């Protein structure tokens, strides 16, 4: 449908025959989602912990700085990389 609208913004698409409620009920009832959820819940104890981030009090870190970094690659090297 997206491609159709892109090619012809004036085209008329067929009416949608399901409601948002129907969609939500179908998503909730999807067994593969339940299996995935059970899989990850079963893995919780074996997953590594979250990384420890430095604790910085709000407003004490100073101004945010952005640095743009660039590097040029020779045409020969770029060709080898693409191959």
């Amino acid at each position: 449908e997206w491609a159709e609208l892109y090619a012809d913004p004036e085209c008329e698409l067929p009416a949608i025959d399901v409601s948002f409620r129907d969609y939500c009920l179908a998503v909730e009832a999807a067994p593969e989602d339940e299996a995935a959820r059970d899989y990850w819940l079963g893995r919780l104890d074996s997953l590594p912990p979250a990384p420890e981030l430095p604790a910085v009090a709000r407003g004490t870190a100073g101004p945010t700085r952005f640095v743009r970094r660039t590097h040029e690659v020779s045409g020969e090297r770029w060709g080898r990389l693409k191959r």
Side-chain angles (χ1 to χ4, degrees), residues 9-70:
E10 302 300 319
C11 78
E12 211 168 301
L13 298 175
I16 299 173
D17 62 345
V18 294
S19 69
F20 182 69
R21 176 188 170 278
D22 295 337
Y23 167 78
C24 289
L25 290 174
V27 168
E28 284 178 11
E32 60 273 4
D33 291 344
E34 193 171 316
R37 183 176 184 278
D38 291 343
Y39 170 79
W40 286 109
L41 285 175
R43 296 258 341 257
L44 280 179
D45 293 334
S46 66
L47 293 175
E52 289 187 29
L53 301 175
V56 178
R58 188 175 195 166
T60 62
T64 303
R65 291 181 352 157
F66 294 94
V67 178
R68 182 179 300 251
R69 302 195 188 279
T70 63

